[in-house]
Amino acid sequence: MLFMFLVGVKIDLSMVNTSGKKAFAVGILALMVPFMVGNMTSQVLLKEFIRDKDDGSTASLVFVSSLQSVSPFVVVVMLLKELKILNSELGQLALASSLSSEVLGITLAFIMNTLRSFMDDHSLSSALQRIGLIICFILVVIIIIRPAMLWIVKQTPEGRPVKDSYIYSVILLILLAGAFTHWIGEFPILGPFIIGFAVPDGPPLGSALEDKLDSFVSGLFIPLFMTLISLRVNLQAIDLFNPYAISIVVLIIVVFLAKVVACIIPACICRVPFKDALALGLIMSSKGIVQMSFYSFFRDDQVTKLAFNEFPLYSRSH
């Protein structure tokens, strides 16, 4: 939650407007083309290759194809920093493209999660209630939280640090936002991510929050998170000759190739050199901490559903 909050603080939505149609086209196609190709491939694999299919395998293939289609902005930023091309023309194009893809991806993820809730509960009222709560949350962020952040900036004299009480209040707000979005059935990182947009970028508040949280999150929480994920992986349980495992590998390769091609074609049409277009496709196809976190969330969700179906009294009591 803290990590995605910092991502929201660092994102500059004006980059989409200033980047032109080229980055917008690359970002949209880089998401939609692999998403559609991946879902079609999933249906073919389920129909022709996987014999012992169930709801879990179907949901897993669809989830993998969807998650492999996205280009998280923070993953692209971290890769460009490592390559030291963040401020180059290619780097700026990749940033703007990933930002366009990120905005559309978050919107589609919210819609799909709401539809999934509707299909599970068979209740239109619960789906509409979830949409209404998210809209109310966004309105609260715009009407109350954003002006409060600007008020903190005005209360901080130029050249002076932000008061610790303000920093602690923002951190508490992040945790409450994550608890709220989790309570309504969304991913807990959605609330902090939206709160991040309300924080003015740069000094004094945005820079102070980055200084306070970035080293702590990146230096402690993320390594712990990746270590815990690694501890939960049982490589001996993976049967490479199982049709389901083979289907996952095939699906990942197909989505990857579709994503690279979807980036190259519009870039070449916009007269980007082929080498740069290929590099752009590889950059947009990079994976990182965001994908790992969503895979972890999905695994927990599937395990919870399985436990609820097999041991309903135990699941309700815990």
Side-chain angles (χ1 to χ4, degrees):
M1 290 190 294
L2 294 173
F3 179 76
M4 291 307 296
F5 167 75
L6 290 175
V7 173
V9 173
K10 296 174 184 178
I11 286 180
D12 183 9
L13 291 177
S14 63
M15 188 184 297
V16 178
N17 297 326
T18 59
S19 60
K21 298 179 180 179
K22 178 168 55 178
F24 184 77
V26 172
I28 299 302
L29 291 176
L31 175 65
M32 297 307 299
V33 171
F35 178 77
M36 292 185 292
V37 171
N39 278 276
M40 289 188 293
T41 305
S42 300
Q43 297 303 318
V44 173
L45 291 171
L46 287 169
K47 185 177 180 181
E48 303 294 339
F49 198 62
I50 302 178
R51 296 179 180 178
D52 300 328
K53 53 179 175 290
D54 52 24
D55 292 339
S57 60
T58 302
S60 297
L61 286 178
V62 173
F63 182 81
V64 169
S65 64
S66 302
L67 189 56
Q68 293 295 119
S69 302
V70 301
S71 302
F73 178 79
V74 63
V75 175
V76 174
V77 170
M78 294 171 69
L79 177 60
L80 294 175
K81 283 185 177 180
E82 291 291 332
L83 298 175
K84 298 180 180 180
I85 57 173
L86 185 62
N87 296 319
S88 65
E89 185 177 353
L90 176 61
Q92 292 299 308
L93 177 59
L95 283 178
S97 300
S98 64
L99 184 55
S100 302
S101 181
E102 179 100 328
V103 173
L104 178 61
I106 292 172
T107 304
L108 291 177
F110 169 69
I111 294 173
M112 290 179 63
N113 201 23
T114 303
L115 290 176
R116 186 189 67 175
S117 174
F118 172 68
M119 296 299 293
D120 291 343
D121 300 337
H122 299 286
S123 174
L124 179 61
S125 61
S126 63
L128 293 176
Q129 183 181 18
R130 176 181 293 187
I131 295 174
L133 288 172
I134 285 293
I135 293 175
C136 291
F137 176 73
I138 294 174
L139 290 176
V140 169
V141 171
I142 295 174
I143 298 174
I144 299 177
I145 296 178
R146 173 68 177 181
M149 298 293 182
L150 296 175
W151 179 83
I152 292 175
V153 173
K154 291 181 180 180
Q155 294 299 311
T156 305
E158 187 175 356
R160 299 292 298 276
V162 180
K163 292 182 179 179
D164 287 341
S165 58
Y166 295 152
I167 300 295
Y168 301 150
S169 299
V170 173
I171 295 175
L172 178 61
L173 182 63
I174 297 168
L175 301 178
L176 291 175
F180 173 77
T181 50
H182 179 67
W183 173 69
I184 65 175
E186 295 293 335
F187 288 115
I189 62 176
L190 179 62
F193 185 70
I194 296 175
I195 294 293
F197 284 115
V199 177
D201 191 17
L205 184 58
S207 300
L209 287 169
E210 290 182 31
D211 293 339
K212 294 281 187 180
L213 297 177
D214 202 13
S215 59
F216 186 63
V217 172
S218 301
L220 179 62
F221 280 163
I222 290 181
L224 284 175
F225 178 72
M226 296 302 294
T227 303
L228 290 173
I229 289 179
S230 301
L231 289 173
R232 299 168 70 181
V233 176
N234 184 8
L235 296 178
Q236 295 180 349
I238 300 176
D239 184 5
L240 296 179
F241 299 100
N242 186 291
Y244 178 71
I246 296 174
S247 299
I248 291 289
V249 175
V250 170
L251 182 60
I252 290 175
I253 294 174
V254 169
V255 172
F256 170 77
L257 294 175
K259 193 173 186 67
V260 173
V261 172
C263 294
I264 291 176
I265 293 177
C268 290
I269 293 175
C270 296
R271 299 180 180 180
V272 175
F274 178 77
K275 289 183 178 180
D276 289 348
L278 178 60
L280 177 63
L282 295 175
I283 291 171
M284 294 289 287
S285 301
S286 58
K287 310 302 175 190
I289 181 68
V290 176
Q291 277 85 0
M292 294 297 293
S293 62
F294 274 98
Y295 278 127
S296 178
F297 293 153
F298 181 76
R299 176 190 180 278
D300 293 340
D301 186 52
Q302 293 299 305
V303 170
T304 301
K305 287 183 178 179
L306 180 63
F308 186 82
N309 291 331
E310 295 187 0
F311 310 102
L313 294 178
Y314 174 84
S315 301
R316 290 192 183 96
S317 64
H318 289 74

